Amino acid sequence: MSSNGKPTIVVVHGAFAESGGWDRIVARLQDEGHRVIAAANPLRSVAYDATYIRALLDSIEGPVVLVGHSYGGMVISKAAAGAENVKKLVYVAGFAPEAGDSGATLAAKFPGSTLGQTLRPVKLPDGGEDVYVDQELYHAQFAADVPGEVTRVMAANQRPITSAALEEAAEGSQAWQSIPSWFLIPEADNNIPAAVHRFMAERAKAVTTVSIPNASHAVFVSHPTEVGDLILEAAAAA
């Protein structure tokens, strides 16, 4: 908790991104008096990643607003389940699964995702597989409304995720089932169709749902003002 009594805000990136992508939003939240932690999501498996983020949450004194982008939504939904200090959830183009849902099954629930055809595999020593978005396709797939000189760097800096993590089903109770949630929907998301985001927001009975026309999956980079506004709304809510 910040010394002024404001909640700590923890932001969790998803696949093919990294914690530095939150920079402009982090700076604004800090300017508003919040302590902010941009967590480094391991992107190894839903269960492992959630345990990792839960350890971070358990180390924080006072109330927390927990924010997840993309696959980061899978992680925060499990990590915050039963965490008494997490008071609000914010899904920024993020998955909000229930038990049995995986990132892959949710993304395919409605037509429109073109992510699969852009992924490039890297075989791992343990027999598993990491996947990256092809750098030549990254701009159009992930961040079409972000300047090309920015997406070139984002593509090079992207963090891979295991194929298994994308296919792993959520288990047990999910935090959005008991913690108030806020959703931001980018209407031109090529990774997770907007119809999927709307379905999840309605299922979660979101307090507020904000839609941004023509916004890409990388909405936290292209529309930091709107994303920051929603996080601050959640942080200020009773």
Side-chain angles (χ1 to χ4, degrees):
M1 183 170 60
S2 303
S3 58
N4 56 17
K6 292 186 175 183
T8 298
I9 298 174
V10 177
V11 294
V12 180
H13 67 82
F16 322 120
E18 46 89 28
S19 55
W22 296 101
D23 282 357
R24 292 170 68 187
I25 295 169
V26 168
R28 180 180 175 198
L29 298 175
Q30 289 174 331
D31 288 344
E32 293 290 339
H34 291 277
R35 180 186 181 215
V36 186
I37 301 171
N41 189 355
L43 306 177
R44 300 296 85 192
S45 76
V46 176
Y48 176 82
D49 300 342
T51 300
Y52 179 91
I53 297 299
R54 177 58 177 266
L56 172 62
L57 297 173
D58 287 345
S59 75
I60 299 171
E61 294 185 7
V64 172
V65 176
L66 185 57
V67 184
H69 173 254
S70 189
Y71 166 84
M74 295 285 298
V75 175
I76 70 168
S77 294
K78 187 59 180 176
E84 294 184 0
N85 61 336
V86 178
K87 305 301 183 183
K88 319 282 175 53
L89 301 169
V90 183
Y91 292 89
V92 178
F95 287 120
E98 65 179 6
D101 290 336
S102 69
T105 59
L106 281 171
K109 188 173 184 65
F110 297 98
S113 177
T114 55
L115 177 63
Q117 59 198 270
T118 72
L119 297 180
R120 301 295 177 260
V122 174
K123 295 297 182 183
L124 300 176
D126 64 1
E129 179 182 81
D130 266 353
V131 287
Y132 295 79
V133 174
D134 187 315
Q135 289 195 27
E136 298 301 317
L137 303 175
Y138 190 95
H139 174 79
Q141 177 61 43
F142 198 86
D145 59 345
V146 178
E149 62 269 22
V150 177
T151 60
R152 283 196 298 272
V153 176
M154 290 174 63
N157 286 344
Q158 66 175 295
R159 295 269 310 283
I161 189 170
T162 65
S163 296
L166 294 176
E167 300 286 346
E168 183 180 346
E171 295 183 352
S173 61
Q174 302 296 306
W176 58 263
Q177 294 170 329
S178 58
I179 299 173
S181 58
W182 282 251
F183 281 73
L184 188 138
I185 301 173
E187 291 291 339
D189 191 338
N190 290 327
N191 282 24
I192 308 169
V196 178
H197 292 304
R198 284 191 286 272
F199 165 78
M200 294 185 293
E202 291 169 4
R203 181 170 68 177
K205 297 179 173 58
V207 175
T208 299
T209 300
V210 173
S211 294
I212 303 181
N214 303 314
S216 73
H217 190 62
V219 65
F220 64 110
V221 177
S222 60
H223 291 271
T225 298
E226 293 92 330
V227 174
D229 286 345
L230 189 64
I231 295 171
L232 289 169
E233 177 188 318

